[in-house]
């Protein structure tokens, strides 16, 4: 498989998602991908789909025994991007 841009591959998506999550959690890494609204608009993600992704993130944080305060901070930061990530759902 030829990789013209890193965001086209699963590994690239995982890498950028990890960078983004680390950045919103306070670093030390910086997200270098597209703006989230631009990156997700064509996916037409609904509010419900976003909420399920947030629930999966919460389950992952629980699995790794992230303390409650830090878990709430990460989930709060994640939730702040909901309007941008779900903006494309208006096309459904």
């Amino acid at each position: 498989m030829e990789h013209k841009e890193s965001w086209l591959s699963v590994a690239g998506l995982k890498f950028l998602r990890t960078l983004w999550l680390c950045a919103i959690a306070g670093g030390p890494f910086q997200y270098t991908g597209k703006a989230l609204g631009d990156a997700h608009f064509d996916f037409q993600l609904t509010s419900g789909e976003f909420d399920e992704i947030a629930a999966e993130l919460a389950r992952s944080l629980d699995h790794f025994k992230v303390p409650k305060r830090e878990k709430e901070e990460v989930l709060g930061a994640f939730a702040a991007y909901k309007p941008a990530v779900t903006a494309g759902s208006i096309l459904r």
Side-chain angles (χ1 to χ4, degrees):
M1 173 190 296
E2 184 178 336
H3 298 285
K4 293 183 180 180
E5 297 192 40
S6 65
W7 58 268
L8 293 177
S9 69
V10 173
L13 289 171
K14 287 180 179 181
F15 177 74
L16 288 174
R17 181 180 55 215
T18 302
L19 283 182
W20 179 80
L21 190 55
C22 289
I24 68 165
F29 302 107
Q30 294 300 312
Y31 175 68
T32 58
K34 292 182 178 182
L36 292 190
D38 295 338
H40 293 85
F41 191 84
D42 290 337
F43 295 138
Q44 300 177 14
L45 295 171
T46 66
S47 178
E49 290 166 334
F50 183 93
D51 292 345
E52 183 51 40
I53 294 165
E56 184 63 28
L57 174 57
R59 288 187 290 270
S60 296
L61 295 171
D62 288 341
H63 174 79
F64 290 103
K65 298 177 178 28
V66 173
K68 182 179 179 183
R69 184 176 135 244
E70 287 83 355
K71 176 185 171 184
E72 289 174 353
E73 288 175 1
V74 169
L75 293 175
F78 185 81
Y81 289 90
K82 186 174 183 175
V85 172
T86 60
S89 67
I90 63 170
L91 300 176
R92 280 187 162 190

Coordinates of all heavy atoms in Angstrom, one line a residue:
M1 N 0.8 -1.2 0.0 CA 0.0 0.0 0.0 C 0.9 1.2 0.0 O 1.8 1.4 0.8 CB -0.9 0.0 1.2 CG -1.7 1.3 1.4 SD -2.5 1.4 3.0 CE -3.7 0.1 2.9
E2 N 0.6 2.1 -0.9 CA 1.4 3.4 -1.0 C 0.8 4.4 0.0 O -0.4 4.6 0.0 CB 1.4 3.9 -2.4 CG 2.2 5.1 -2.6 CD 2.2 5.6 -4.1 OE1 1.9 4.7 -5.0 OE2 2.4 6.7 -4.3
H3 N 1.6 5.1 0.7 CA 1.2 6.1 1.7 C 1.6 7.5 1.2 O 2.7 7.9 1.5 CB 1.7 5.8 3.1 CG 1.3 4.5 3.6 ND1 0.0 4.3 4.1 CD2 1.9 3.3 3.8 CE1 -0.1 3.1 4.5 NE2 1.0 2.5 4.3
K4 N 0.7 8.2 0.5 CA 1.0 9.5 0.1 C 0.9 10.5 1.2 O 1.6 11.5 1.3 CB 0.1 9.9 -1.1 CG 0.3 9.1 -2.3 CD -0.5 9.6 -3.5 CE -0.2 8.7 -4.7 NZ -1.0 9.1 -5.8
E5 N 0.0 10.3 2.1 CA -0.2 11.2 3.3 C -0.5 10.3 4.5 O -1.2 9.3 4.4 CB -1.4 12.1 3.1 CG -1.1 13.1 2.0 CD -2.1 14.2 1.9 OE1 -2.4 14.7 3.0 OE2 -2.5 14.6 0.9
S6 N 0.1 10.6 5.6 CA 0.0 9.7 6.8 C -1.4 9.5 7.3 O -1.7 8.5 7.8 CB 0.9 10.3 7.9 OG 0.4 11.5 8.4
W7 N -2.3 10.5 7.1 CA -3.6 10.3 7.6 C -4.5 9.4 6.7 O -5.6 9.0 7.1 CB -4.3 11.7 7.7 CG -4.4 12.5 6.4 CD1 -3.5 13.4 6.0 CD2 -5.4 12.4 5.4 NE1 -3.9 13.9 4.8 CE2 -5.1 13.4 4.4 CE3 -6.6 11.7 5.3 CZ2 -5.9 13.5 3.3 CZ3 -7.4 11.9 4.2 CH2 -7.0 12.8 3.2
L8 N -3.9 8.9 5.6 CA -4.7 7.9 4.8 C -4.5 6.5 5.3 O -5.3 5.6 4.9 CB -4.2 8.0 3.4 CG -4.5 9.3 2.6 CD1 -3.9 9.2 1.2 CD2 -6.0 9.5 2.5
S9 N -3.6 6.2 6.2 CA -3.4 4.9 6.7 C -3.9 4.7 8.1 O -4.0 5.7 8.8 CB -1.9 4.5 6.7 OG -1.2 5.3 7.7
V10 N -4.2 3.5 8.5 CA -4.7 3.2 9.8 C -3.6 3.6 10.8 O -3.9 4.3 11.8 CB -5.1 1.7 10.0 CG1 -5.4 1.4 11.4 CG2 -6.3 1.4 9.1
A11 N -2.4 3.3 10.6 CA -1.3 3.6 11.5 C -1.2 5.1 11.6 O -1.0 5.7 12.7 CB 0.0 3.0 11.0
G12 N -1.4 5.8 10.5 CA -1.3 7.3 10.5 C -2.5 7.9 11.3 O -2.3 8.9 12.1
L13 N -3.7 7.3 11.1 CA -4.8 7.8 11.9 C -4.6 7.6 13.4 O -4.9 8.5 14.2 CB -6.1 7.1 11.5 CG -6.6 7.4 10.1 CD1 -7.7 6.5 9.7 CD2 -7.1 8.9 10.1
K14 N -4.1 6.4 13.8 CA -3.8 6.1 15.2 C -2.8 7.1 15.7 O -2.9 7.6 16.8 CB -3.4 4.7 15.4 CG -4.5 3.7 15.2 CD -3.9 2.3 15.4 CE -5.0 1.2 15.3 NZ -4.6 -0.1 15.5
F15 N -1.8 7.4 14.9 CA -0.7 8.3 15.4 C -1.3 9.7 15.6 O -1.0 10.3 16.7 CB 0.4 8.3 14.3 CG 1.5 9.3 14.6 CD1 2.4 9.0 15.6 CD2 1.6 10.5 14.0 CE1 3.4 9.9 16.0 CE2 2.6 11.4 14.3 CZ 3.5 11.1 15.3
L16 N -2.0 10.2 14.6 CA -2.6 11.5 14.8 C -3.6 11.6 15.9 O -3.6 12.6 16.7 CB -3.2 12.0 13.5 CG -2.2 12.3 12.4 CD1 -3.0 12.6 11.1 CD2 -1.3 13.5 12.8
R17 N -4.4 10.5 16.1 CA -5.3 10.5 17.2 C -4.6 10.5 18.5 O -5.0 11.2 19.5 CB -6.2 9.3 17.1 CG -7.3 9.2 18.2 CD -8.1 8.0 18.2 NE -7.3 6.8 18.1 CZ -7.6 5.7 17.4 NH1 -8.7 5.6 16.7 NH2 -6.8 4.6 17.4
T18 N -3.5 9.8 18.6 CA -2.7 9.8 19.9 C -2.1 11.2 20.1 O -2.1 11.6 21.2 CB -1.6 8.7 19.8 OG1 -2.2 7.4 19.6 CG2 -0.8 8.7 21.0
L19 N -1.5 11.8 19.1 CA -1.0 13.1 19.2 C -2.1 14.1 19.7 O -1.8 14.9 20.6 CB -0.4 13.7 17.9 CG 0.9 13.1 17.4 CD1 1.3 13.8 16.1 CD2 2.0 13.4 18.5
W20 N -3.2 14.0 19.1 CA -4.3 14.9 19.5 C -4.7 14.7 20.9 O -4.9 15.7 21.7 CB -5.5 14.7 18.5 CG -6.7 15.6 18.9 CD1 -6.8 17.0 18.5 CD2 -7.8 15.3 19.6 NE1 -7.9 17.5 19.0 CE2 -8.6 16.5 19.7 CE3 -8.3 14.2 20.2 CZ2 -9.8 16.5 20.4 CZ3 -9.5 14.2 20.9 CH2 -10.2 15.4 21.0
L21 N -4.9 13.5 21.3 CA -5.3 13.2 22.7 C -4.3 13.6 23.7 O -4.6 14.2 24.7 CB -5.6 11.7 22.8 CG -6.3 11.3 24.1 CD1 -7.6 12.1 24.4 CD2 -6.6 9.8 24.1
C22 N -3.0 13.4 23.4 CA -1.9 13.9 24.2 C -1.9 15.4 24.3 O -1.8 16.0 25.4 CB -0.6 13.4 23.7 SG -0.3 11.6 23.9
A23 N -2.2 16.1 23.2 CA -2.2 17.5 23.2 C -3.3 18.1 24.1 O -3.1 19.0 24.9 CB -2.3 18.1 21.8
I24 N -4.5 17.5 23.9 CA -5.6 18.1 24.7 C -5.5 17.7 26.2 O -6.1 18.3 27.1 CB -7.0 17.7 24.2 CG1 -7.3 16.2 24.3 CG2 -7.2 18.2 22.8 CD1 -8.7 15.8 24.1
A25 N -4.7 16.7 26.5 CA -4.5 16.2 27.9 C -3.4 17.1 28.5 O -3.1 16.8 29.7 CB -4.2 14.8 27.9
G26 N -2.8 18.0 27.8 CA -1.7 18.8 28.4 C -0.3 18.6 27.9 O 0.6 19.1 28.4
G27 N -0.2 17.7 26.9 CA 1.1 17.5 26.3 C 1.9 16.3 26.9 O 1.3 15.5 27.6
P28 N 3.1 16.2 26.5 CA 4.0 17.1 25.9 C 3.9 17.2 24.4 O 4.6 18.0 23.8 CB 5.4 16.7 26.3 CG 5.2 15.2 26.4 CD 3.8 14.9 26.9
F29 N 3.1 16.3 23.7 CA 3.1 16.3 22.3 C 2.1 17.3 21.7 O 1.2 17.7 22.4 CB 2.7 14.8 21.8 CG 3.6 13.8 22.3 CD1 3.2 12.9 23.3 CD2 4.9 13.7 21.8 CE1 4.1 11.9 23.8 CE2 5.8 12.7 22.3 CZ 5.4 11.9 23.3
Q30 N 2.3 17.7 20.5 CA 1.5 18.6 19.8 C 0.8 18.0 18.6 O 1.5 17.3 17.9 CB 2.3 19.9 19.3 CG 2.8 20.7 20.5 CD 1.7 21.2 21.4 OE1 0.7 21.8 20.9 NE2 1.9 21.0 22.7
Y31 N -0.5 18.2 18.4 CA -1.2 17.7 17.3 C -0.8 18.4 16.1 O -0.8 19.7 16.0 CB -2.7 17.8 17.6 CG -3.6 17.4 16.4 CD1 -3.7 16.1 16.0 CD2 -4.3 18.3 15.7 CE1 -4.5 15.7 14.9 CE2 -5.1 18.0 14.7 CZ -5.2 16.7 14.3 OH -6.0 16.3 13.2
T32 N -0.5 17.7 15.0 CA 0.0 18.3 13.8 C -1.0 18.0 12.6 O -0.6 18.4 11.4 CB 1.4 17.8 13.4 OG1 1.3 16.4 13.3 CG2 2.4 18.2 14.5
G33 N -2.1 17.5 12.8 CA -3.0 17.2 11.7 C -3.9 18.3 11.4 O -3.8 19.4 11.8
K34 N -4.9 18.0 10.5 CA -5.9 19.0 10.1 C -6.8 19.5 11.3 O -6.9 18.8 12.3 CB -6.9 18.4 9.1 CG -6.3 18.0 7.8 CD -7.4 17.5 6.9 CE -6.9 17.1 5.5 NZ -8.0 16.6 4.7
A35 N -7.4 20.6 11.1 CA -8.4 21.1 12.1 C -9.5 20.0 12.2 O -9.9 19.4 11.2 CB -9.0 22.4 11.7
L36 N -10.0 19.7 13.4 CA -10.9 18.6 13.6 C -12.2 18.8 12.8 O -12.7 17.8 12.2 CB -11.3 18.4 15.0 CG -10.1 17.9 15.9 CD1 -10.6 17.6 17.3 CD2 -9.4 16.8 15.3
G37 N -12.7 20.0 12.6 CA -13.9 20.2 11.8 C -13.6 19.8 10.4 O -14.5 19.1 9.8
D38 N -12.5 20.2 9.8 CA -12.1 19.9 8.5 C -11.9 18.4 8.3 O -12.3 17.7 7.3 CB -10.9 20.6 8.0 CG -11.1 22.1 8.0 OD1 -12.3 22.6 7.8 OD2 -10.1 22.8 8.0
A39 N -11.2 17.8 9.3 CA -10.9 16.4 9.2 C -12.1 15.4 9.3 O -12.1 14.3 8.8 CB -9.9 16.0 10.3
H40 N -13.2 15.9 10.0 CA -14.3 15.0 10.2 C -15.6 15.4 9.5 O -16.5 14.6 9.5 CB -14.6 15.0 11.7 CG -13.5 14.3 12.5 ND1 -12.4 15.0 12.9 CD2 -13.3 13.0 12.9 CE1 -11.6 14.2 13.6 NE2 -12.1 13.0 13.6
F41 N -15.6 16.5 8.8 CA -16.8 17.0 8.2 C -17.5 16.0 7.3 O -18.7 15.7 7.3 CB -16.6 18.3 7.5 CG -17.9 19.0 7.1 CD1 -18.6 19.8 7.9 CD2 -18.4 18.8 5.8 CE1 -19.8 20.4 7.6 CE2 -19.6 19.4 5.4 CZ -20.2 20.2 6.3
D42 N -16.7 15.4 6.4 CA -17.2 14.5 5.4 C -17.6 13.1 6.0 O -18.4 12.4 5.3 CB -16.2 14.2 4.3 CG -16.0 15.4 3.4 OD1 -16.9 16.3 3.3 OD2 -14.9 15.6 2.8
F43 N -17.2 12.8 7.2 CA -17.7 11.6 7.9 C -19.2 11.7 8.3 O -19.8 10.7 8.6 CB -16.8 11.3 9.1 CG -15.4 10.9 8.7 CD1 -14.4 11.4 9.5 CD2 -15.1 10.1 7.6 CE1 -13.1 11.1 9.2 CE2 -13.8 9.8 7.3 CZ -12.8 10.2 8.1
Q44 N -19.7 13.0 8.4 CA -21.0 13.2 8.9 C -21.4 12.5 10.2 O -22.5 11.9 10.3 CB -22.0 12.8 7.7 CG -21.8 13.6 6.4 CD -22.7 13.1 5.3 OE1 -23.7 12.4 5.5 NE2 -22.3 13.5 4.1
L45 N -20.5 12.6 11.1 CA -20.7 12.0 12.4 C -21.8 12.6 13.2 O -21.9 13.9 13.3 CB -19.4 12.0 13.3 CG -18.3 11.2 12.7 CD1 -17.0 11.5 13.6 CD2 -18.5 9.7 12.8
T46 N -22.7 11.8 13.7 CA -23.9 12.4 14.5 C -23.4 12.6 16.0 O -22.4 12.1 16.4 CB -25.1 11.4 14.5 OG1 -24.7 10.2 15.2 CG2 -25.5 11.1 13.0
S47 N -24.3 13.3 16.7 CA -24.0 13.5 18.1 C -24.0 12.1 18.8 O -23.1 11.9 19.7 CB -25.2 14.4 18.7 OG -25.0 14.5 20.0
G48 N -24.9 11.2 18.5 CA -24.9 9.9 19.1 C -23.6 9.1 18.8 O -23.1 8.4 19.7
E49 N -23.1 9.2 17.6 CA -21.9 8.5 17.3 C -20.7 9.1 18.0 O -19.8 8.4 18.5 CB -21.6 8.6 15.8 CG -22.6 7.7 15.0 CD -22.6 8.0 13.5 OE1 -22.3 9.2 13.1 OE2 -23.0 7.1 12.7
F50 N -20.7 10.4 18.2 CA -19.6 11.1 18.9 C -19.7 10.6 20.4 O -18.7 10.3 21.0 CB -19.8 12.6 18.9 CG -18.7 13.3 19.6 CD1 -17.5 13.7 18.9 CD2 -18.8 13.6 21.0 CE1 -16.5 14.4 19.6 CE2 -17.8 14.2 21.7 CZ -16.6 14.6 21.0
D51 N -20.9 10.5 20.9 CA -21.1 10.1 22.3 C -20.6 8.7 22.5 O -20.0 8.4 23.6 CB -22.5 10.2 22.8 CG -23.0 11.7 22.9 OD1 -22.2 12.6 22.9 OD2 -24.2 11.9 22.9
E52 N -20.8 7.8 21.6 CA -20.3 6.4 21.7 C -18.8 6.4 21.6 O -18.1 5.6 22.4 CB -20.9 5.5 20.6 CG -20.5 4.1 20.7 CD -20.7 3.5 22.1 OE1 -21.7 3.7 22.8 OE2 -19.8 2.7 22.6
I53 N -18.2 7.2 20.8 CA -16.7 7.3 20.8 C -16.2 7.8 22.2 O -15.2 7.3 22.7 CB -16.2 8.2 19.6 CG1 -16.6 7.6 18.3 CG2 -14.7 8.5 19.8 CD1 -16.5 8.5 17.1
A54 N -16.9 8.8 22.7 CA -16.5 9.3 24.1 C -16.7 8.2 25.1 O -15.8 8.1 26.0 CB -17.4 10.5 24.4
A55 N -17.7 7.4 25.0 CA -17.9 6.3 25.9 C -16.8 5.3 25.8 O -16.3 4.7 26.8 CB -19.3 5.6 25.7
E56 N -16.3 5.0 24.6 CA -15.2 4.1 24.4 C -13.9 4.6 24.9 O -13.2 3.9 25.6 CB -15.1 3.8 22.9 CG -14.0 2.7 22.6 CD -14.3 1.4 23.1 OE1 -15.5 1.0 23.3 OE2 -13.3 0.6 23.4
L57 N -13.7 5.9 24.8 CA -12.6 6.6 25.4 C -12.6 6.4 26.9 O -11.6 6.1 27.6 CB -12.5 8.0 25.0 CG -11.4 8.9 25.7 CD1 -10.0 8.3 25.4 CD2 -11.5 10.3 25.2
A58 N -13.8 6.6 27.5 CA -14.0 6.5 29.0 C -13.7 5.0 29.4 O -13.0 4.8 30.4 CB -15.4 6.9 29.4
R59 N -14.1 4.1 28.6 CA -13.8 2.7 29.0 C -12.3 2.4 28.9 O -11.8 1.7 29.7 CB -14.6 1.7 28.0 CG -16.1 1.7 28.3 CD -16.9 0.6 27.6 NE -17.0 0.9 26.1 CZ -17.9 1.6 25.5 NH1 -18.9 2.1 26.3 NH2 -18.0 1.8 24.2
S60 N -11.7 3.0 27.9 CA -10.2 2.8 27.8 C -9.5 3.4 28.9 O -8.5 2.8 29.5 CB -9.7 3.4 26.5 OG -10.3 2.8 25.4
L61 N -9.9 4.6 29.4 CA -9.3 5.2 30.5 C -9.5 4.4 31.8 O -8.6 4.3 32.6 CB -9.8 6.7 30.7 CG -9.5 7.6 29.5 CD1 -10.2 8.9 29.7 CD2 -8.0 7.9 29.4
D62 N -10.7 3.8 31.9 CA -11.0 3.0 33.1 C -10.1 1.7 33.0 O -9.6 1.3 34.0 CB -12.4 2.5 33.1 CG -13.4 3.7 33.5 OD1 -12.9 4.7 34.1 OD2 -14.6 3.5 33.1
H63 N -10.0 1.1 31.8 CA -9.1 -0.1 31.7 C -7.7 0.2 32.2 O -7.1 -0.7 32.8 CB -9.1 -0.5 30.2 CG -8.2 -1.7 30.0 ND1 -8.5 -3.0 30.3 CD2 -7.0 -1.7 29.4 CE1 -7.5 -3.8 29.9 NE2 -6.6 -3.0 29.4
F64 N -7.2 1.4 31.9 CA -5.8 1.7 32.3 C -5.7 2.4 33.6 O -4.7 2.9 34.0 CB -5.1 2.5 31.2 CG -4.8 1.7 29.9 CD1 -5.6 1.8 28.8 CD2 -3.8 0.8 29.9 CE1 -5.4 1.0 27.7 CE2 -3.6 0.0 28.8 CZ -4.4 0.1 27.7
K65 N -6.9 2.4 34.3 CA -7.0 2.9 35.7 C -6.5 4.3 35.8 O -5.8 4.7 36.8 CB -6.2 2.0 36.6 CG -6.8 0.5 36.7 CD -6.0 -0.4 37.6 CE -6.5 -1.8 37.7 NZ -7.2 -2.4 36.7
V66 N -6.9 5.1 34.9 CA -6.6 6.6 34.9 C -7.4 7.2 36.1 O -8.6 6.9 36.2 CB -7.0 7.3 33.6 CG1 -6.8 8.8 33.7 CG2 -6.1 6.7 32.5
P67 N -6.8 7.9 37.0 CA -7.5 8.5 38.1 C -8.7 9.3 37.7 O -8.7 9.9 36.6 CB -6.5 9.3 38.8 CG -5.2 8.7 38.4 CD -5.4 8.3 37.0
K68 N -9.8 9.4 38.5 CA -11.0 10.1 38.2 C -10.8 11.5 37.7 O -11.4 11.9 36.7 CB -12.0 10.0 39.4 CG -13.3 10.7 39.1 CD -14.2 10.6 40.3 CE -15.5 11.3 40.0 NZ -16.5 11.3 41.1
R69 N -10.0 12.3 38.4 CA -9.8 13.7 38.1 C -9.3 13.8 36.7 O -9.8 14.6 35.9 CB -8.9 14.4 39.1 CG -8.8 15.9 38.8 CD -7.9 16.5 39.9 NE -7.0 17.4 39.2 CZ -5.7 17.3 39.2 NH1 -5.1 16.4 39.9 NH2 -4.9 18.1 38.6
E70 N -8.2 13.1 36.4 CA -7.6 13.1 35.1 C -8.5 12.6 34.0 O -8.6 13.2 32.9 CB -6.3 12.4 35.0 CG -5.2 13.0 35.8 CD -5.2 12.8 37.3 OE1 -6.1 12.1 37.8 OE2 -4.2 13.2 38.0
K71 N -9.3 11.6 34.3 CA -10.3 11.0 33.3 C -11.3 12.1 33.0 O -11.6 12.3 31.8 CB -10.9 9.8 33.9 CG -12.0 9.2 33.0 CD -12.8 8.1 33.7 CE -14.0 7.7 33.0 NZ -14.7 6.6 33.7
E72 N -11.8 12.8 34.0 CA -12.8 13.8 33.8 C -12.2 15.0 32.9 O -12.9 15.6 32.1 CB -13.4 14.3 35.1 CG -14.3 13.3 35.7 CD -14.7 13.7 37.1 OE1 -14.3 14.7 37.7 OE2 -15.6 13.0 37.7
E73 N -11.0 15.3 33.2 CA -10.3 16.4 32.4 C -10.2 16.0 30.9 O -10.5 16.8 30.1 CB -8.9 16.7 33.0 CG -9.0 17.4 34.3 CD -7.6 17.6 34.9 OE1 -6.6 17.2 34.3 OE2 -7.5 18.1 36.0
V74 N -9.8 14.8 30.7 CA -9.6 14.3 29.3 C -11.0 14.3 28.6 O -11.1 14.7 27.5 CB -8.9 12.9 29.2 CG1 -9.0 12.3 27.8 CG2 -7.5 13.1 29.7
L75 N -12.0 13.7 29.3 CA -13.3 13.6 28.7 C -13.9 15.0 28.4 O -14.6 15.2 27.4 CB -14.2 12.7 29.5 CG -13.8 11.2 29.6 CD1 -14.7 10.5 30.5 CD2 -13.8 10.6 28.2
G76 N -13.7 15.9 29.4 CA -14.2 17.3 29.2 C -13.5 17.9 28.0 O -14.2 18.6 27.2
A77 N -12.2 17.8 27.9 CA -11.5 18.3 26.7 C -12.0 17.7 25.4 O -12.2 18.4 24.4 CB -10.0 18.2 26.9
F78 N -12.2 16.4 25.4 CA -12.7 15.7 24.3 C -14.1 16.2 23.9 O -14.4 16.6 22.7 CB -12.8 14.2 24.6 CG -13.2 13.3 23.4 CD1 -12.3 13.0 22.4 CD2 -14.5 12.9 23.3 CE1 -12.6 12.2 21.4 CE2 -14.9 12.1 22.2 CZ -14.0 11.7 21.3
A79 N -15.0 16.4 24.9 CA -16.4 16.9 24.6 C -16.4 18.3 24.0 O -17.3 18.6 23.3 CB -17.2 16.8 25.9
A80 N -15.4 19.1 24.4 CA -15.4 20.5 23.8 C -15.3 20.5 22.3 O -15.7 21.5 21.7 CB -14.2 21.2 24.4
Y81 N -14.8 19.4 21.7 CA -14.7 19.4 20.2 C -15.9 18.8 19.5 O -15.9 18.6 18.3 CB -13.4 18.6 19.9 CG -12.2 19.3 20.2 CD1 -11.6 19.2 21.4 CD2 -11.6 20.2 19.3 CE1 -10.4 20.0 21.8 CE2 -10.5 20.9 19.6 CZ -9.9 20.8 20.8 OH -8.8 21.6 21.1
K82 N -16.9 18.4 20.3 CA -18.1 17.8 19.7 C -18.7 18.6 18.6 O -19.1 18.1 17.5 CB -19.1 17.5 20.8 CG -20.3 16.7 20.3 CD -21.2 16.3 21.5 CE -22.4 15.5 21.0 NZ -23.2 15.0 22.2
P83 N -18.9 19.9 18.8 CA -19.5 20.7 17.7 C -18.8 20.7 16.4 O -19.3 20.6 15.3 CB -19.6 22.1 18.3 CG -19.6 22.0 19.8 CD -18.7 20.7 20.0
A84 N -17.4 20.7 16.5 CA -16.6 20.7 15.3 C -16.7 19.4 14.6 O -16.8 19.3 13.4 CB -15.2 21.1 15.6
V85 N -16.6 18.3 15.4 CA -16.5 16.9 14.9 C -17.8 16.5 14.3 O -17.9 15.7 13.3 CB -16.0 16.0 16.0 CG1 -16.1 14.5 15.5 CG2 -14.6 16.3 16.3
T86 N -19.0 17.0 14.8 CA -20.3 16.6 14.3 C -20.9 17.6 13.4 O -22.0 17.4 12.9 CB -21.2 16.4 15.5 OG1 -21.4 17.6 16.2 CG2 -20.7 15.2 16.4
A87 N -20.2 18.6 13.0 CA -20.8 19.6 12.1 C -21.2 19.0 10.8 O -22.2 19.5 10.2 CB -19.7 20.7 11.8
G88 N -20.5 18.0 10.3 CA -20.9 17.4 9.0 C -22.2 16.7 9.0 O -22.8 16.4 8.0
S89 N -22.7 16.4 10.2 CA -24.0 15.6 10.3 C -25.2 16.4 9.7 O -26.2 15.8 9.4 CB -24.3 15.2 11.7 OG -24.6 16.3 12.5
I90 N -25.0 17.7 9.5 CA -26.1 18.5 8.9 C -26.4 18.0 7.4 O -27.5 18.3 6.9 CB -25.8 20.0 8.9 CG1 -24.6 20.3 8.0 CG2 -25.7 20.5 10.3 CD1 -24.3 21.8 7.8
L91 N -25.4 17.3 6.8 CA -25.6 16.8 5.5 C -26.4 15.5 5.4 O -26.7 15.1 4.3 CB -24.2 16.6 4.8 CG -23.4 17.8 4.7 CD1 -22.0 17.5 4.1 CD2 -24.0 18.9 3.9
R92 N -26.6 14.9 6.5 CA -27.4 13.6 6.5 C -28.8 13.8 6.2 O -29.5 14.7 6.5 CB -27.3 12.9 7.9 CG -25.9 12.2 8.0 CD -25.9 11.4 9.3 NE -24.9 10.4 9.2 CZ -24.7 9.4 10.0 NH1 -25.6 9.3 11.0 NH2 -23.8 8.6 9.9

